[in-house]
Amino acid sequence: MNIVSLLEQRRHGWEELERLCDEMQSRGRTRGKAPGATRFASLYRSACADLALAEAYQLPPATVEYLHRLVGRAHNQLYRSRNFSLDRSVDMLVRQAPRQIFADPCVHVCGILFFGLFWLSMLLGMSEERLPDFPAQVVGEAQLEQMESNFEAELDAGFDHYVMMASFYIRHNTGIGLQCFAYGILIIPCIFTLAYNAVALGTSFGYMARDSTTGGDNFFEFVTAHGPFELTAIVLSAAAGLRLGLGLISTTGLRRGDSLKVSAIRAIPVIAAASVLFFLAAITEGFLSPSPLPYTIKAMWAILSSGAMTFYFVVLGFPRAGIDAT
Amino acid sequence: MSQLAPLDTTIEVVTPENIAFKYQLAGPFRRLPAFLIDVLVKLAIILFAVFAVALLAGITGSQLIGVFGFAAINIGWFMVWWFYGVAMETWCNGRTLGKMAMRIRVVTVSGHPIGGVQAMLRNLVCVADLAPPLSLQFFFEDAPPVYLIPTGIAALIAMTCTRRMQRLGDLAAGTMVVIDERGWTLPVARVEDTRVPALASYIPPDYRVSPSLAKVLALYAERRMFLSPQRRRELAKNLAAGLGDRFEFREDLDPDLLLYALYWRTFLADARDQDVDLQPLAGYSPMLKDAHLVAAEPVADSSDASLVEVAVVMEPDRDLEASIPPESRP
């Protein structure tokens, strides 16, 4: 039995199968459509047969291992998992996510923590005669001046300036949200990041609301439209992260790794909802917030968006008894 | 963790079809360079975009392009920085540029290709894996207390504690990083050494190599070129002793050569016996019963004969590098 000549015969088929695997991996189908698929199937069967006969052929172990890998790859291509389907995504966003958010204590904790600290720091930042130095101590003198100079100009005056700023804030705030989500698995950094940003944002808002601050009106005109979306999205992403971290701690009788995976499955709808809100916030912030439209429209948009979110979380999320109660 | 798991970095995945794949896991020393390459790639993309926009705005001289270009860069910077890994792993089947360079791949724990959701989870949690960050003050006394420098200790701890060397992001997404070796090795195709077929012709034709012995021989032949002659003998001695007795060979035959000959006979020899040119070996016999036929001392008038005598019979201090086929050296 000359193994080399045997392999020489067989390897062309194996190499072709590997090439077809590559094609299917990169494009989801073979180059030759139907004939290619048929060819793929027959090559796959012959590779399986070769693997089954490896003992009889007395193939060297390295070749057997290669065949294992090849058959494995081909198998993964043949029985592909559907990666993305619109129906399931819509179902996740419209049905699962609101209920998950409504029922998840992580969301409640993050929401209370963030908005509580936010309003508290805003009040503290506003009280000019009692705590004049509070914003400077929290945020820092340099950043306050930076903010004031940013919002000095009228919104319609320097349109380009506000477009640049909007893009910066999109990057900055979405980054905060994603950071909260990532740190959630370690719990404490997540809560710290969330609380710190709540205090910093709230203090900035409070400072800008003072009568003595220049540019306050422009500032509020700028943030009104996208504020509800963005802050809620930060809360949601932190909640999704916290869900992961809690899964690592309270395993409810599962093994730790499995518990983490179950928590991840529960966190995915929440982070998906947060992504949609971030996206909406970014669109608003890019087009509506820096635009010279009258303030009424922006305020209306803020009220509408808050109402829509309330409907989403409460009406769609309210637990229903029935088949799909989870 | 199961006590029976071998102390090894291979993971066996058994699919419902009863196909068992063996994956070799990638440890931190492959994954860290891959991560650093990815960071460099991200930075390069962002810098390139900045230069391109600056150049475009400079050439056209329009302020609008500059403004919208930089707004786009801000958004693009964010997208590249957070979602480069997600996009690459989703579309390139679990590989980023850095992973391609280090030949590793992300697969699910069950050995399937990863999906978009898993790629997103594992790449977003990456930030937590890089924790705890180190303050700049660690290096410069007068720097502000900014915690910017990632240390990656969380990921290292998680990797050492899990059986599949998963970091936190992998644990959440249910993925693992495996070494992705696409190539395969032909067995040693040609044996240059003429002594091997010569010796093989003395192995009794009725001797059938068992499958397990064939496996051992193939492994040995693949490995032997990385070993020094002394190591080869040391390894081959145990097997060759029994075989030598069975074939009634001389005691002082080189065990490495015997195994190599058996390998050649098992895997490479054609069914139809080709005539091997025995060259100077003609007339030499390794059989115990023929030991008296061969002169114990080298024949004086033939330098070849002395070579033969020395080459086949083992002598510890002699280097047998000559028996390695030159093209099979690593």
Side-chain angles (χ1 to χ4, degrees):
Chain A
M1 158 71 69
N2 189 337
I3 198 78
V4 177
S5 57
L6 175 90
L7 290 180
E8 279 302 331
Q9 291 166 19
R10 291 266 186 258
R11 71 185 286 186
H12 299 297
W14 296 344
E15 276 163 4
E16 192 182 349
L17 180 60
E18 204 163 334
R19 217 186 49 246
L20 288 174
C21 274
D22 281 341
E23 280 176 23
M24 287 177 85
Q25 251 166 25
S26 56
R27 278 178 293 150
R29 55 180 179 76
T30 54
R31 202 185 301 267
K33 299 234 174 84
T38 333
R39 179 86 187 126
F40 176 86
S42 70
L43 284 171
Y44 172 66
R45 279 196 301 275
S46 69
C48 282
D50 285 337
L51 183 57
L53 291 170
E55 289 289 312
Y57 289 155
Q58 291 196 331
L59 293 181
T63 314
V64 175
E65 207 156 303
Y66 164 79
L67 268 181
H68 270 300
R69 283 210 195 101
L70 178 67
V71 169
R73 273 187 71 193
H75 168 272
N76 284 345
Q77 291 306 323
L78 202 59
Y79 304 99
R80 300 175 77 95
S81 53
R82 305 278 334 141
N83 274 348
F84 180 82
S85 84
L86 193 67
D87 294 349
R88 274 191 314 159
S89 308
V90 169
D91 176 70
M92 186 173 81
L93 275 176
V94 175
R95 200 178 59 85
Q96 288 174 16
R99 286 177 203 191
Q100 187 73 49
I101 290 164
F102 189 88
D104 195 346
C106 288
V107 180
H108 309 159
V109 169
C110 286
I112 291 167
L113 182 77
F114 184 86
F115 285 113
L117 283 173
F118 179 83
W119 291 116
L120 182 70
S121 348
M122 189 162 168
L123 281 175
L124 290 174
M126 277 170 73
S127 51
E128 207 165 351
E129 51 283 351
R130 293 212 186 130
L131 296 165
D133 300 337
F134 179 75
Q137 284 166 343
V138 173
V139 188
E141 208 54 79
Q143 203 173 335
L144 291 179
E145 279 167 25
Q146 169 79 39
M147 274 176 63
E148 283 192 62
S149 68
N150 268 349
F151 289 99
E152 251 167 353
E154 286 287 321
L155 278 182
D156 48 359
F159 182 60
D160 50 0
H161 161 78
Y162 279 98
V163 168
M164 296 269 281
M165 224 165 53
S167 69
F168 168 78
Y169 281 120
I170 290 171
R171 185 164 70 83
H172 178 253
N173 295 340
T174 317
I176 290 174
L178 290 173
Q179 209 169 18
C180 282
F181 171 69
Y183 277 145
I185 202 165
L186 303 170
I187 296 183
I188 293 168
C190 165
I191 290 176
F192 173 80
T193 310
L194 189 71
Y196 171 80
N197 282 299
V199 171
L201 281 172
T203 312
S204 311
F205 272 56
Y207 179 76
M208 293 313 265
R210 288 181 178 185
D211 295 337
S212 61
T213 311
T214 49
D217 293 345
N218 294 332
F219 172 84
F220 280 101
E221 198 171 328
F222 179 74
V223 296
T224 302
H226 63 258
F229 277 142
E230 199 153 66
L231 298 183
T232 315
I234 289 178
V235 169
L236 283 187
S237 46
L242 211 56
R243 172 53 45 207
L244 284 182
L246 276 184
L248 210 51
I249 290 178
S250 87
T251 56
T252 61
L254 296 168
R255 278 171 48 188
R256 211 164 291 277
D258 296 337
S259 158
L260 183 61
K261 261 181 248 174
V262 170
S263 311
I265 291 168
R266 285 177 65 187
I268 285 167
V270 184
I271 192 76
S275 313
V276 171
L277 290 184
F278 271 129
F279 179 74
L280 290 173
I283 298 279
T284 313
E285 202 168 357
F287 296 103
L288 182 65
S289 299
S291 69
L293 288 171
Y295 184 67
T296 333
I297 294 182
K298 294 180 187 177
M300 284 296 294
W301 178 257
I303 292 165
L304 271 178
S305 62
S306 307
M309 279 193 299
T310 311
F311 173 81
Y312 180 74
F313 293 141
V314 178
V315 179
L316 288 182
F318 202 82
R320 291 168 177 73
I323 300 165
D324 52 8
T326 44
Chain B
M1 289 296 106
S2 63
Q3 292 296 313
L4 298 173
L7 191 63
D8 199 1
T9 55
T10 53
I11 283 283
E12 194 170 69
V13 176
V14 182
T15 65
E17 278 82 0
N18 254 344
I19 301 169
F21 318 98
K22 272 209 177 71
Y23 278 121
Q24 200 179 355
L25 294 169
F29 294 98
R30 269 200 193 224
R31 294 171 67 169
L32 180 68
F35 174 77
L36 293 177
I37 291 172
D38 282 335
V39 170
L40 286 178
V41 167
K42 286 186 220 178
L43 286 175
I45 293 173
I46 292 165
L47 279 177
F48 177 77
V50 170
F51 279 129
V53 167
L55 210 68
L56 200 69
I59 290 171
T60 53
S62 87
Q63 190 164 11
L64 206 63
I65 285 188
V67 168
F68 278 97
F70 273 97
I73 279 179
N74 249 325
I75 308 288
W77 179 350
F78 163 80
M79 293 303 278
V80 166
W81 196 250
W82 281 96
F83 293 102
Y84 157 86
V86 182
M88 286 286 292
E89 278 174 20
T90 308
W91 283 311
C92 302
N93 198 25
R95 293 193 304 166
T96 58
L97 287 175
K99 289 192 174 71
M100 286 176 196
M102 296 309 293
R103 301 221 313 278
I104 54 182
R105 179 192 292 271
V106 187
V107 291
T108 62
V109 177
S110 52
H112 289 285
I114 67 168
V117 170
Q118 287 160 321
M120 191 172 92
L121 264 177
R122 73 181 297 278
N123 277 291
L124 292 186
V125 178
C126 188
V127 175
D129 276 306
L130 295 173
L134 196 64
S135 167
L136 281 175
Q137 285 171 319
F138 187 81
F139 297 99
F140 311 105
E141 287 293 322
D142 50 356
V146 186
Y147 288 84
L148 273 182
I149 302 155
T151 54
I153 289 172
L156 277 177
I157 290 174
M159 272 191 213
T160 45
C161 293
T162 50
R163 193 162 54 97
R164 298 192 184 88
M165 293 203 214
Q166 293 160 295
R167 58 175 177 83
L168 293 173
D170 287 326
L171 284 170
T175 54
M176 61 185 179
V177 181
V178 295
I179 293 177
D180 182 41
E181 278 166 359
R182 309 280 296 281
W184 67 299
T185 47
L186 254 177
V188 180
R190 282 209 310 278
V191 177
E192 297 285 317
D193 198 345
T194 51
R195 297 169 310 159
V196 171
L199 187 57
S201 63
Y202 282 99
I203 295 171
D206 60 342
Y207 179 70
R208 294 295 307 269
V209 175
S210 67
S212 60
L213 180 60
K215 213 171 268 187
V216 169
L217 287 173
L219 276 175
Y220 178 72
E222 278 162 23
R223 285 287 170 83
R224 78 187 272 282
M225 49 190 161
F226 302 109
L227 302 170
S228 68
Q230 288 85 3
R231 288 290 150 277
R232 288 182 204 167
R233 288 202 195 109
E234 204 174 317
L235 281 174
K237 206 165 53 191
N238 303 318
L239 248 184
L243 289 171
D245 287 348
R246 200 179 175 304
F247 305 147
E248 299 177 336
F249 282 175
R250 305 165 50 148
E251 294 285 318
D252 57 356
L253 191 71
D254 185 354
D256 165 58
L257 198 64
L258 173 57
L259 287 198
Y260 204 30
L262 197 56
Y263 166 81
W264 184 84
R265 206 198 74 150
T266 310
F267 288 111
L268 303 179
D270 255 332
R272 52 180 200 291
D273 250 336
Q274 62 215 35
D275 281 332
V276 181
D277 178 17
L278 296 184
Q279 290 174 346
L281 275 174
Y284 172 78
S285 162
M287 308 298 279
L288 197 57
K289 59 178 191 288
D290 299 340
H292 63 279
L293 296 180
V294 182
E297 290 163 27
V299 185
D301 60 351
S302 153
S303 56
D304 282 348
S306 68
L307 269 181
V308 171
E309 187 65 30
V310 174
V312 181
V313 172
M314 101 180 116
E315 278 187 31
D317 57 346
R318 185 173 168 83
D319 190 9
L320 274 180
E321 285 296 321
S323 63
I324 304 171
E327 78 279 1
S328 68
R329 279 181 203 167

